[in-house]
Amino acid sequence: MNKIEAIDVNFYYGDFHALKGISMEIPQNKVVAFIGPSGCGKSTFLRLFNRMNDLIPGSRLQGRILIDGQDIYAPGGMEVDELRKNVGMVFQRPNPFPKSIFDNVAYGLRVNGIKDKEFIRQRVEESLRGAALWDEVKDKLNSSAYALSGGQQQRLCIARAMAISPSVLLMDEPASALDPISTAKVEELICELRNQVTIVIVTHNMQQASRVSDKTAFFYMGEMIEYDDTKVIFTNPHKEATQNYITGRFG
Amino acid sequence: MRRIFEKAVKWLLTASGFVTSIVILLIIGFLFTEGAGLFKEKVIEEGYVLALNRENNVKELTAAQIKAIFDEDVTNWKEFGGPDMRIEPFRLEDADKLFTEEELGGQYENAGSLIASLIEAHPGMVAFVPESMIPKGANLNFIEDRSISPKEVFAGSEWFPTATPAPLFGMWPLLAGTLWVSLFAILFALPFGISIAVYMSEVASERVRGFLKPVIELLNGIPSVVYGFFGLIVIVPLLQQVFGLPVGESGLAGSIVLAIMALPTIVTVAEDAMRSCPRSLREASLALGATQWQTVYRVVIPSSMSGIASGVVLGIGRAVGETMAVLMVTGNAAAVPSSILEPLRTIPATIAAELGEAPAGGAHYQSLFLLGVILFFITFFINLCVEYISSRNKAKNS
């Protein structure tokens, strides 16, 4: 069953044609990795799934993107904040709010109108446990999130995104600003979360893509060159460009 | 050659730094010495005495009591612990009415003894006369003169620096006037300033912002006398009509003008602070399903709180120190205001209005310097607040 479906998507930043006729299907509860050189459009494509590109003035979308069969860009359809509650996102650099650890994780619940303190406390604990961060922070939930290390901050951001129980989690190079040990922890986390959510991850790191993902899409110059099972992409790609990229001949 | 040049530049910079600091310290020192001089001045005008009949046992009077006597607000010595007698105040000018020119003599040479005998004949009389006029050995009592006390100055509720025989330097009405006007100015400016800042940084399109920002910054460049003029022509008559006041010049008019003047500072500083809130934080909030408005008040405003606070405090600083515009629209009544709709007077306005007519070196002159010292402390305190807030911000971000 397909969780996300993109149908002939074209995207423009002003005159720049950033995404060229992309169609793809992302199955439920799988991890899909987007790889490709910088500026190939993979992050732009990812940010279409929670309408983050709406914020960019002069941008334009053609084509349709369906999540659970519903067109998320249909006029008069779903409200954008409703969509984002269902489609969480983790960014390239850890970006916790300048608030306490607890308030960071509780933020998503609170903006969604949840007032029940006991429920919030419980959900914060579950999310932090889910992000393998609980044992490290349980005694300092009220201290600033900025006091955590970069890797802890990124796991906090994952906990924050997971606290509102989204069904899709978008990850935009979530480990690129982290050291190898923190990276390993984040990857472990992705593997644990795959049962709960559909994960789309953008990465520059091909080993990471091969380690964590079920399917991989290779992007180049705004086009999706190849999309297949990760095993196929990394062992027996059908296109020459993919072969060249994963063997490190360019990019 | 280059080394010598660099050394010379270094010395020049050091010297200019030191000279500037010394000049500033000298100005502050000057302010303080002149202001402190007030407490060495006597209550009764210099060179004059208050002479009483022998039978009157009143020894001391405060400046306020002396003023009450000569304004004939108090008419019996009983009130001041003296005998039960009617008070008959006498000023030197009264001599012309009581005696003929021949009796006084062409140079007033007989005035002293005439007045002395007049006082001896009237048990309730108190005479305000030059000390030099009183003949030696005259059988009179004198009010003991003493220095002006800080209590009278800081807690006194009457500002009457030109009163004779004893001027009153109660600074409380002026301080209260300053605080009232500034407080209300900030109450008006704060909600508007913050809303404009939020609008400009979060809502307005780039084009609207490109137009609004220079316009608001332009407000900073308008001379304050022009604001005062605007206030006098537009706001004062408007308030008079709306509230049905006898005069429109009031604390409220001053607050409104000051609020307009403080707006650009608050808006610019607060807007800069909000715009410098990192994009990544906004995206994080929006990606969690927060609406734009929730993002503004839960993330943007709290994270730029210290910037907003310094904008507000800078705005207050401007309001407290502003002179001309306030002088023009507040009506300048030196009384403790009981409502913001009454005329009142601020410290800077008092200094500006009265320094020209105060004789240099006199008590009035020194009292104006003391007002300057008070103002200096208020603004100094405000600057400390700004420092504290911004240093706390730095500590938080590092």
Side-chain angles (χ1 to χ4, degrees):
Chain A
M1 187 197 164
N2 290 328
K3 183 71 184 171
I4 306 174
E5 205 170 330
I7 302 162
D8 195 21
V9 168
N10 283 282
F11 188 77
Y12 304 84
Y13 292 115
D15 294 334
F16 178 63
H17 195 173
L19 295 174
K20 297 168 186 163
I22 296 175
S23 297
M24 82 185 304
E25 287 154 3
I26 294 173
Q28 178 133 24
N29 288 10
K30 296 282 182 213
V31 178
V32 173
F34 292 176
I35 60 170
S38 296
C40 67
K42 58 193 189 304
S43 280
T44 302
F45 191 49
L46 183 82
R47 290 163 66 96
L48 285 175
F49 297 156
N50 68 343
R51 296 185 58 176
M52 255 353 220
N53 290 334
D54 289 15
L55 303 173
I56 298 163
S59 62
R60 199 152 48 84
L61 173 77
Q62 286 168 356
R64 300 202 300 155
I65 294 176
L66 311 180
I67 293 182
D68 294 326
Q70 205 181 352
D71 186 348
I72 60 171
Y73 283 90
M78 189 190 286
E79 288 290 333
V80 64
D81 41 301
E82 290 299 321
L83 166 73
R84 288 174 185 157
K85 280 166 200 169
N86 188 35
V87 183
M89 186 161 190
V90 176
F91 296 82
Q92 184 170 1
R93 294 188 158 275
N95 55 354
F97 300 121
K99 298 172 185 283
S100 72
I101 293 169
F102 185 92
D103 287 343
N104 260 283
V105 184
Y107 184 88
L109 301 166
R110 289 188 177 139
V111 296
N112 288 322
I114 294 169
K115 297 228 163 59
D116 182 350
K117 287 213 172 98
E118 185 47 36
F119 176 78
I120 291 178
R121 202 201 56 73
Q122 211 179 325
R123 196 70 202 107
V124 167
E125 182 176 338
E126 281 168 21
S127 313
L128 286 170
R129 281 188 193 282
L133 196 59
W134 176 252
D135 291 333
E136 292 160 61
V137 301
K138 65 181 176 209
D139 298 324
K140 49 177 182 178
L141 288 175
N142 288 321
S143 54
S144 169
Y146 286 4
L148 299 174
S149 73
Q152 288 175 320
Q153 287 188 9
Q154 192 63 304
R155 279 181 285 147
L156 179 70
C157 291
I158 295 172
R160 182 175 69 183
M162 291 304 294
I164 49 174
S165 319
S167 64
V168 179
L169 187 62
L170 310 175
M171 301 180 115
D172 189 357
E173 300 179 38
S176 66
L178 304 182
D179 64 82
I181 294 172
S182 303
T183 303
K185 283 188 177 163
V186 169
E187 284 179 13
E188 220 172 278
L189 203 52
I190 293 170
C191 295
E192 279 165 30
L193 292 173
R194 71 200 316 158
N195 303 320
Q196 305 167 37
V197 288
T198 306
I199 294 176
V200 185
I201 177 170
V202 166
T203 179
H204 269 129
N205 181 330
M206 278 173 286
Q207 285 77 28
Q208 187 172 64
S210 66
R211 278 193 300 263
V212 301
S213 67
D214 301 305
K215 298 187 89 170
T216 298
F218 172 59
F219 287 78
Y220 184 60
M221 304 274 279
E223 285 175 80
M224 190 174 75
I225 305 296
E226 192 167 357
Y227 175 48
D228 211 327
D229 287 344
T230 300
K231 219 177 264 170
V232 176
I233 292 279
F234 282 99
T235 54
N236 189 19
H238 294 100
K239 300 271 168 65
E240 206 189 331
T242 317
Q243 174 80 39
N244 288 343
Y245 184 70
I246 59 166
T247 52
R249 246 169 264 166
F250 77 94
Chain B
M1 186 61 204
R2 185 192 282 168
R3 191 164 291 175
I4 296 171
F5 176 72
E6 282 182 0
K7 232 176 197 154
V9 168
K10 199 176 134 195
W11 275 106
L12 206 68
L13 294 177
T14 314
S16 63
F18 270 99
V19 168
T20 318
S21 320
I22 288 169
V23 167
I24 292 170
L25 288 179
L26 279 179
I27 292 174
I28 295 172
F30 173 68
L31 200 62
F32 272 71
T33 44
E34 290 288 329
L38 179 66
F39 300 117
K40 294 196 193 90
E41 294 286 329
K42 299 291 185 201
V43 171
I44 299 168
E45 219 171 289
E46 214 181 332
Y48 284 78
V49 289
L50 284 177
L52 302 173
N53 188 281
R54 245 355 283 168
E55 287 169 39
N56 196 338
N57 58 356
V58 174
K59 286 270 185 294
E60 278 184 4
L61 288 172
T62 65
Q65 287 168 333
I66 295 170
K67 180 167 179 291
I69 288 173
F70 280 86
D71 288 352
E72 301 185 25
D73 291 335
V74 176
T75 53
N76 199 301
W77 285 111
K78 251 195 327 194
E79 308 254 348
F80 303 134
D84 185 7
M85 285 187 295
R86 214 172 66 78
I87 299 179
E88 294 176 69
F90 176 89
R91 292 171 196 262
L92 197 54
E93 305 93 272
D94 299 333
D96 293 330
K97 287 179 227 152
L98 293 170
F99 308 106
T100 64
E101 228 171 282
E102 289 89 59
E103 283 173 320
L104 288 169
Q107 306 293 316
Y108 267 54
E109 60 266 20
N110 303 325
S113 51
L114 281 173
I115 291 168
S117 50
L118 187 72
I119 299 169
E120 279 162 30
H122 292 77
M125 181 165 277
V126 53
F128 172 57
V129 285
E131 199 174 2
S132 55
M133 243 185 202
I134 302 294
K136 290 236 156 52
N139 195 17
L140 300 172
N141 269 359
F142 296 97
I143 297 289
E144 271 173 43
D145 206 356
R146 40 180 195 86
S147 301
I148 294 170
S149 74
K151 191 177 160 244
E152 283 174 305
V153 172
F154 295 119
S157 60
E158 275 186 282
W159 174 258
F160 230 110
T162 51
T164 51
L168 292 170
F169 296 112
M171 290 177 180
W172 177 236
L174 311 178
L175 192 60
T178 306
L179 296 179
W180 273 69
V181 170
S182 310
L183 178 75
F184 275 83
I186 266 333
L187 280 184
F188 296 139
L190 200 58
F192 279 104
I194 303 286
S195 349
I196 297 171
V198 170
Y199 171 74
M200 281 193 1
S201 91
E202 306 299 324
V203 184
S205 68
E206 228 17 66
R207 272 180 58 192
V208 174
R209 193 178 160 270
F211 169 75
L212 268 185
K213 183 135 179 151
V215 167
I216 287 176
E217 275 165 5
L218 192 70
L219 284 177
N220 247 338
I222 298 177
S224 63
V225 68
V226 176
Y227 279 108
F229 194 56
F230 166 77
L232 202 58
I233 301 298
V234 179
I235 295 173
V236 166
L238 191 74
L239 290 179
Q240 196 170 1
Q241 273 180 8
V242 171
F243 292 101
L245 302 174
V247 282
E249 279 102 340
S250 59
L252 187 62
S255 315
I256 293 173
V257 172
L258 277 186
I260 300 173
M261 296 178 71
L263 263 186
T265 315
I266 297 179
V267 171
T268 326
V269 179
E271 198 240 346
D272 284 346
M274 283 187 224
R275 281 182 76 83
S276 67
C277 172
R279 195 189 142 99
S280 66
L281 287 186
R282 293 166 200 268
E283 286 191 340
S285 170
L286 292 171
L288 287 165
T291 60
Q292 192 190 9
W293 175 233
Q294 283 174 324
T295 303
V296 169
Y297 82 82
R298 281 175 183 268
V299 175
V300 177
I301 291 181
S303 79
S304 50
M305 205 57 219
S306 57
I308 296 172
S310 15
V312 171
V313 177
L314 282 174
I316 297 176
R318 167 132 207 211
V320 169
E322 176 48 43
T323 310
M324 204 55 222
V326 182
L327 180 67
M328 289 167 79
V329 300
T330 50
N332 293 324
V336 181
S338 59
S339 127
I340 192 70
L341 293 172
E342 282 175 17
L344 48 74
R345 181 188 255 197
T346 64
I347 291 176
T350 307
I351 299 176
E354 294 184 6
L355 196 58
E357 59 197 47
H364 186 189
Y365 177 86
Q366 285 165 333
S367 72
L368 295 179
F369 275 94
L370 191 64
L371 283 177
V373 171
I374 295 177
L375 200 60
F376 169 78
F377 273 115
I378 297 176
T379 44
F380 184 69
F381 176 73
I382 291 169
N383 285 345
L384 278 186
C385 290
V386 177
E387 284 287 316
Y388 173 73
I389 292 166
S390 47
S391 72
R392 207 182 51 171
N393 187 34
K394 258 180 228 146
K396 206 172 71 186
N397 286 347
S398 63

mmCIF file of all heavy atoms in Angstrom, chain B residues 270-303:
data_model
loop_
_atom_site.group_PDB
_atom_site.id
_atom_site.type_symbol
_atom_site.label_atom_id
_atom_site.label_comp_id
_atom_site.label_asym_id
_atom_site.label_seq_id
_atom_site.Cartn_x
_atom_site.Cartn_y
_atom_site.Cartn_z
ATOM 1 N N ALA B 270 12.775 46.199 18.309
ATOM 2 C CA ALA B 270 12.017 44.951 18.472
ATOM 3 C C ALA B 270 11.930 44.198 17.151
ATOM 4 O O ALA B 270 12.047 42.973 17.110
ATOM 5 C CB ALA B 270 10.617 45.263 18.997
ATOM 6 N N GLU B 271 11.745 44.935 16.058
ATOM 7 C CA GLU B 271 11.626 44.273 14.758
ATOM 8 C C GLU B 271 12.939 43.592 14.380
ATOM 9 O O GLU B 271 12.942 42.461 13.900
ATOM 10 C CB GLU B 271 11.234 45.309 13.699
ATOM 11 C CG GLU B 271 10.667 44.691 12.449
ATOM 12 C CD GLU B 271 11.481 45.026 11.242
ATOM 13 O OE1 GLU B 271 12.319 45.940 11.322
ATOM 14 O OE2 GLU B 271 11.300 44.350 10.221
ATOM 15 N N ASP B 272 14.049 44.290 14.612
ATOM 16 C CA ASP B 272 15.358 43.679 14.322
ATOM 17 C C ASP B 272 15.536 42.399 15.131
ATOM 18 O O ASP B 272 16.020 41.391 14.619
ATOM 19 C CB ASP B 272 16.495 44.660 14.637
ATOM 20 C CG ASP B 272 16.609 45.729 13.571
ATOM 21 O OD1 ASP B 272 16.002 45.546 12.504
ATOM 22 O OD2 ASP B 272 17.289 46.742 13.804
ATOM 23 N N ALA B 273 15.122 42.466 16.406
ATOM 24 C CA ALA B 273 15.282 41.285 17.257
ATOM 25 C C ALA B 273 14.453 40.128 16.724
ATOM 26 O O ALA B 273 14.908 38.994 16.668
ATOM 27 C CB ALA B 273 14.869 41.624 18.688
ATOM 28 N N MET B 274 13.211 40.421 16.294
ATOM 29 C CA MET B 274 12.351 39.330 15.816
ATOM 30 C C MET B 274 12.851 38.764 14.501
ATOM 31 O O MET B 274 12.782 37.569 14.259
ATOM 32 C CB MET B 274 10.923 39.836 15.647
ATOM 33 C CG MET B 274 10.219 39.963 16.973
ATOM 34 S SD MET B 274 8.514 40.371 16.706
ATOM 35 C CE MET B 274 8.317 41.598 17.917
ATOM 36 N N ARG B 275 13.339 39.641 13.627
ATOM 37 C CA ARG B 275 13.829 39.144 12.337
ATOM 38 C C ARG B 275 15.087 38.311 12.507
ATOM 39 O O ARG B 275 15.389 37.474 11.675
ATOM 40 C CB ARG B 275 14.102 40.315 11.396
ATOM 41 C CG ARG B 275 12.847 40.837 10.774
ATOM 42 C CD ARG B 275 13.170 41.948 9.831
ATOM 43 N NE ARG B 275 13.735 41.470 8.587
ATOM 44 C CZ ARG B 275 13.008 41.037 7.575
ATOM 45 N NH1 ARG B 275 11.711 41.005 7.659
ATOM 46 N NH2 ARG B 275 13.575 40.642 6.460
ATOM 47 N N SER B 276 15.830 38.600 13.585
ATOM 48 C CA SER B 276 17.052 37.825 13.759
ATOM 49 C C SER B 276 16.770 36.474 14.411
ATOM 50 O O SER B 276 17.687 35.698 14.638
ATOM 51 C CB SER B 276 18.072 38.616 14.574
ATOM 52 O OG SER B 276 17.604 38.774 15.881
ATOM 53 N N CYS B 277 15.499 36.208 14.715
ATOM 54 C CA CYS B 277 15.145 34.868 15.198
ATOM 55 C C CYS B 277 15.406 33.885 14.059
ATOM 56 O O CYS B 277 14.900 34.067 12.959
ATOM 57 C CB CYS B 277 13.669 34.850 15.600
ATOM 58 S SG CYS B 277 13.107 33.198 15.994
ATOM 59 N N PRO B 278 16.232 32.840 14.306
ATOM 60 C CA PRO B 278 16.679 31.993 13.204
ATOM 61 C C PRO B 278 15.515 31.349 12.450
ATOM 62 O O PRO B 278 14.515 30.945 13.041
ATOM 63 C CB PRO B 278 17.514 30.912 13.895
ATOM 64 C CG PRO B 278 17.783 31.401 15.257
ATOM 65 C CD PRO B 278 16.748 32.408 15.600
ATOM 66 N N ARG B 279 15.688 31.269 11.132
ATOM 67 C CA ARG B 279 14.708 30.643 10.263
ATOM 68 C C ARG B 279 14.470 29.195 10.670
ATOM 69 O O ARG B 279 13.357 28.686 10.590
ATOM 70 C CB ARG B 279 15.286 30.713 8.847
ATOM 71 C CG ARG B 279 14.364 30.451 7.727
ATOM 72 C CD ARG B 279 15.225 30.367 6.454
ATOM 73 N NE ARG B 279 14.686 29.339 5.602
ATOM 74 C CZ ARG B 279 13.881 29.615 4.572
ATOM 75 N NH1 ARG B 279 13.587 30.861 4.300
ATOM 76 N NH2 ARG B 279 13.391 28.651 3.831
ATOM 77 N N SER B 280 15.541 28.547 11.150
ATOM 78 C CA SER B 280 15.406 27.131 11.500
ATOM 79 C C SER B 280 14.405 26.938 12.639
ATOM 80 O O SER B 280 13.689 25.942 12.678
ATOM 81 C CB SER B 280 16.765 26.563 11.885
ATOM 82 O OG SER B 280 17.230 27.158 13.065
ATOM 83 N N LEU B 281 14.335 27.924 13.560
ATOM 84 C CA LEU B 281 13.367 27.800 14.661
ATOM 85 C C LEU B 281 11.940 27.944 14.154
ATOM 86 O O LEU B 281 11.036 27.224 14.579
ATOM 87 C CB LEU B 281 13.647 28.848 15.742
ATOM 88 C CG LEU B 281 14.875 28.633 16.613
ATOM 89 C CD1 LEU B 281 14.925 29.663 17.719
ATOM 90 C CD2 LEU B 281 14.869 27.237 17.193
ATOM 91 N N ARG B 282 11.752 28.899 13.244
ATOM 92 C CA ARG B 282 10.405 29.059 12.677
ATOM 93 C C ARG B 282 9.996 27.796 11.956
ATOM 94 O O ARG B 282 8.873 27.318 12.081
ATOM 95 C CB ARG B 282 10.393 30.199 11.658
ATOM 96 C CG ARG B 282 10.616 31.548 12.244
ATOM 97 C CD ARG B 282 10.925 32.503 11.107
ATOM 98 N NE ARG B 282 11.597 33.676 11.600
ATOM 99 C CZ ARG B 282 10.966 34.769 11.970
ATOM 100 N NH1 ARG B 282 9.676 34.839 11.865
ATOM 101 N NH2 ARG B 282 11.638 35.794 12.439
ATOM 102 N N GLU B 283 10.926 27.239 11.145
ATOM 103 C CA GLU B 283 10.591 26.033 10.380
ATOM 104 C C GLU B 283 10.275 24.878 11.313
ATOM 105 O O GLU B 283 9.340 24.117 11.074
ATOM 106 C CB GLU B 283 11.754 25.669 9.455
ATOM 107 C CG GLU B 283 11.871 26.599 8.265
ATOM 108 C CD GLU B 283 12.841 26.088 7.221
ATOM 109 O OE1 GLU B 283 13.680 25.245 7.573
ATOM 110 O OE2 GLU B 283 12.748 26.539 6.067
ATOM 111 N N ALA B 284 11.065 24.788 12.405
ATOM 112 C CA ALA B 284 10.816 23.703 13.359
ATOM 113 C C ALA B 284 9.405 23.806 13.911
ATOM 114 O O ALA B 284 8.689 22.810 14.028
ATOM 115 C CB ALA B 284 11.832 23.778 14.493
ATOM 116 N N SER B 285 8.987 25.040 14.233
ATOM 117 C CA SER B 285 7.662 25.231 14.807
ATOM 118 C C SER B 285 6.575 24.923 13.784
ATOM 119 O O SER B 285 5.617 24.196 14.058
ATOM 120 C CB SER B 285 7.538 26.665 15.314
ATOM 121 O OG SER B 285 6.214 26.934 15.662
ATOM 122 N N LEU B 286 6.750 25.458 12.562
ATOM 123 C CA LEU B 286 5.730 25.227 11.528
ATOM 124 C C LEU B 286 5.634 23.742 11.191
ATOM 125 O O LEU B 286 4.545 23.215 10.989
ATOM 126 C CB LEU B 286 6.085 26.028 10.271
ATOM 127 C CG LEU B 286 5.992 27.544 10.417
ATOM 128 C CD1 LEU B 286 6.561 28.227 9.191
ATOM 129 C CD2 LEU B 286 4.548 27.971 10.623
ATOM 130 N N ALA B 287 6.796 23.061 11.180
ATOM 131 C CA ALA B 287 6.794 21.642 10.816
ATOM 132 C C ALA B 287 6.081 20.800 11.866
ATOM 133 O O ALA B 287 5.720 19.663 11.606
ATOM 134 C CB ALA B 287 8.224 21.157 10.636
ATOM 135 N N LEU B 288 5.892 21.367 13.068
ATOM 136 C CA LEU B 288 5.170 20.630 14.108
ATOM 137 C C LEU B 288 3.673 20.924 14.061
ATOM 138 O O LEU B 288 2.936 20.574 14.975
ATOM 139 C CB LEU B 288 5.721 20.976 15.482
ATOM 140 C CG LEU B 288 7.093 20.362 15.780
ATOM 141 C CD1 LEU B 288 7.729 21.024 16.972
ATOM 142 C CD2 LEU B 288 6.960 18.870 16.000
ATOM 143 N N GLY B 289 3.251 21.599 13.010
ATOM 144 C CA GLY B 289 1.830 21.855 12.858
ATOM 145 C C GLY B 289 1.360 23.122 13.548
ATOM 146 O O GLY B 289 0.166 23.329 13.693
ATOM 147 N N ALA B 290 2.312 23.968 13.985
ATOM 148 C CA ALA B 290 1.902 25.238 14.578
ATOM 149 C C ALA B 290 1.483 26.180 13.465
ATOM 150 O O ALA B 290 2.046 26.143 12.370
ATOM 151 C CB ALA B 290 3.055 25.852 15.367
ATOM 152 N N THR B 291 0.482 27.019 13.746
ATOM 153 C CA THR B 291 0.112 28.024 12.761
ATOM 154 C C THR B 291 1.148 29.145 12.812
ATOM 155 O O THR B 291 1.983 29.187 13.705
ATOM 156 C CB THR B 291 -1.269 28.613 13.071
ATOM 157 O OG1 THR B 291 -1.194 29.205 14.369
ATOM 158 C CG2 THR B 291 -2.338 27.545 13.083
ATOM 159 N N GLN B 292 1.061 30.043 11.848
ATOM 160 C CA GLN B 292 2.033 31.138 11.815
ATOM 161 C C GLN B 292 1.944 31.977 13.089
ATOM 162 O O GLN B 292 2.955 32.358 13.669
ATOM 163 C CB GLN B 292 1.771 32.022 10.596
ATOM 164 C CG GLN B 292 2.919 32.986 10.373
ATOM 165 C CD GLN B 292 2.604 34.038 9.337
ATOM 166 O OE1 GLN B 292 1.474 34.162 8.885
ATOM 167 N NE2 GLN B 292 3.601 34.812 8.978
ATOM 168 N N TRP B 293 0.695 32.201 13.546
ATOM 169 C CA TRP B 293 0.514 33.025 14.734
ATOM 170 C C TRP B 293 1.065 32.323 15.982
ATOM 171 O O TRP B 293 1.734 32.921 16.821
ATOM 172 C CB TRP B 293 -0.957 33.386 14.876
ATOM 173 C CG TRP B 293 -1.282 34.133 16.121
ATOM 174 C CD1 TRP B 293 -2.227 33.813 17.032
ATOM 175 C CD2 TRP B 293 -0.661 35.324 16.588
ATOM 176 N NE1 TRP B 293 -2.221 34.724 18.044
ATOM 177 C CE2 TRP B 293 -1.269 35.667 17.806
ATOM 178 C CE3 TRP B 293 0.368 36.142 16.114
ATOM 179 C CZ2 TRP B 293 -0.903 36.770 18.552
ATOM 180 C CZ3 TRP B 293 0.745 37.246 16.860
ATOM 181 C CH2 TRP B 293 0.105 37.551 18.054
ATOM 182 N N GLN B 294 0.812 31.003 16.078
ATOM 183 C CA GLN B 294 1.373 30.244 17.212
ATOM 184 C C GLN B 294 2.893 30.309 17.189
ATOM 185 O O GLN B 294 3.532 30.452 18.228
ATOM 186 C CB GLN B 294 0.923 28.784 17.133
ATOM 187 C CG GLN B 294 -0.504 28.570 17.591
ATOM 188 C CD GLN B 294 -0.960 27.138 17.364
ATOM 189 O OE1 GLN B 294 -0.592 26.511 16.388
ATOM 190 N NE2 GLN B 294 -1.778 26.635 18.274
ATOM 191 N N THR B 295 3.463 30.222 15.990
ATOM 192 C CA THR B 295 4.915 30.309 15.873
ATOM 193 C C THR B 295 5.416 31.661 16.375
ATOM 194 O O THR B 295 6.400 31.740 17.096
ATOM 195 C CB THR B 295 5.324 30.108 14.403
ATOM 196 O OG1 THR B 295 4.817 28.859 13.976
ATOM 197 C CG2 THR B 295 6.817 30.153 14.247
ATOM 198 N N VAL B 296 4.683 32.734 16.018
ATOM 199 C CA VAL B 296 5.114 34.066 16.443
ATOM 200 C C VAL B 296 5.107 34.183 17.961
ATOM 201 O O VAL B 296 6.097 34.568 18.568
ATOM 202 C CB VAL B 296 4.223 35.161 15.807
ATOM 203 C CG1 VAL B 296 4.494 36.505 16.448
ATOM 204 C CG2 VAL B 296 4.474 35.236 14.314
ATOM 205 N N TYR B 297 3.984 33.798 18.584
ATOM 206 C CA TYR B 297 3.950 34.103 20.013
ATOM 207 C C TYR B 297 4.551 33.031 20.899
ATOM 208 O O TYR B 297 4.842 33.282 22.067
ATOM 209 C CB TYR B 297 2.559 34.571 20.480
ATOM 210 C CG TYR B 297 1.544 33.501 20.771
ATOM 211 C CD1 TYR B 297 1.521 32.828 21.981
ATOM 212 C CD2 TYR B 297 0.575 33.209 19.831
ATOM 213 C CE1 TYR B 297 0.566 31.863 22.238
ATOM 214 C CE2 TYR B 297 -0.376 32.254 20.086
ATOM 215 C CZ TYR B 297 -0.377 31.583 21.281
ATOM 216 O OH TYR B 297 -1.319 30.636 21.535
ATOM 217 N N ARG B 298 4.768 31.826 20.344
ATOM 218 C CA ARG B 298 5.394 30.804 21.186
ATOM 219 C C ARG B 298 6.893 30.675 20.947
ATOM 220 O O ARG B 298 7.618 30.180 21.804
ATOM 221 C CB ARG B 298 4.754 29.445 20.928
ATOM 222 C CG ARG B 298 3.424 29.272 21.639
ATOM 223 C CD ARG B 298 2.829 27.942 21.215
ATOM 224 N NE ARG B 298 1.528 27.731 21.800
ATOM 225 C CZ ARG B 298 1.339 27.088 22.955
ATOM 226 N NH1 ARG B 298 2.352 26.623 23.620
ATOM 227 N NH2 ARG B 298 0.122 26.934 23.436
ATOM 228 N N VAL B 299 7.362 31.059 19.768
ATOM 229 C CA VAL B 299 8.790 30.891 19.468
ATOM 230 C C VAL B 299 9.480 32.218 19.181
ATOM 231 O O VAL B 299 10.464 32.572 19.826
ATOM 232 C CB VAL B 299 8.990 29.923 18.272
ATOM 233 C CG1 VAL B 299 10.450 29.854 17.895
ATOM 234 C CG2 VAL B 299 8.476 28.544 18.631
ATOM 235 N N VAL B 300 8.930 32.983 18.225
ATOM 236 C CA VAL B 300 9.648 34.187 17.794
ATOM 237 C C VAL B 300 9.731 35.212 18.922
ATOM 238 O O VAL B 300 10.816 35.685 19.263
ATOM 239 C CB VAL B 300 8.975 34.801 16.544
ATOM 240 C CG1 VAL B 300 9.683 36.075 16.148
ATOM 241 C CG2 VAL B 300 8.995 33.804 15.407
ATOM 242 N N ILE B 301 8.589 35.526 19.533
ATOM 243 C CA ILE B 301 8.603 36.556 20.577
ATOM 244 C C ILE B 301 9.431 36.109 21.789
ATOM 245 O O ILE B 301 10.304 36.849 22.240
ATOM 246 C CB ILE B 301 7.171 36.988 20.959
ATOM 247 C CG1 ILE B 301 6.557 37.754 19.782
ATOM 248 C CG2 ILE B 301 7.177 37.857 22.206
ATOM 249 C CD1 ILE B 301 5.169 38.263 20.018
ATOM 250 N N PRO B 302 9.224 34.892 22.324
ATOM 251 C CA PRO B 302 10.066 34.511 23.470
ATOM 252 C C PRO B 302 11.560 34.507 23.150
ATOM 253 O O PRO B 302 12.366 34.946 23.961
ATOM 254 C CB PRO B 302 9.590 33.095 23.808
ATOM 255 C CG PRO B 302 8.227 33.006 23.261
ATOM 256 C CD PRO B 302 8.188 33.881 22.061
ATOM 257 N N SER B 303 11.927 34.060 21.943
ATOM 258 C CA SER B 303 13.362 33.982 21.676
ATOM 259 C C SER B 303 13.953 35.355 21.401
ATOM 260 O O SER B 303 15.160 35.532 21.482
ATOM 261 C CB SER B 303 13.648 33.025 20.526
ATOM 262 O OG SER B 303 13.387 33.660 19.303
#
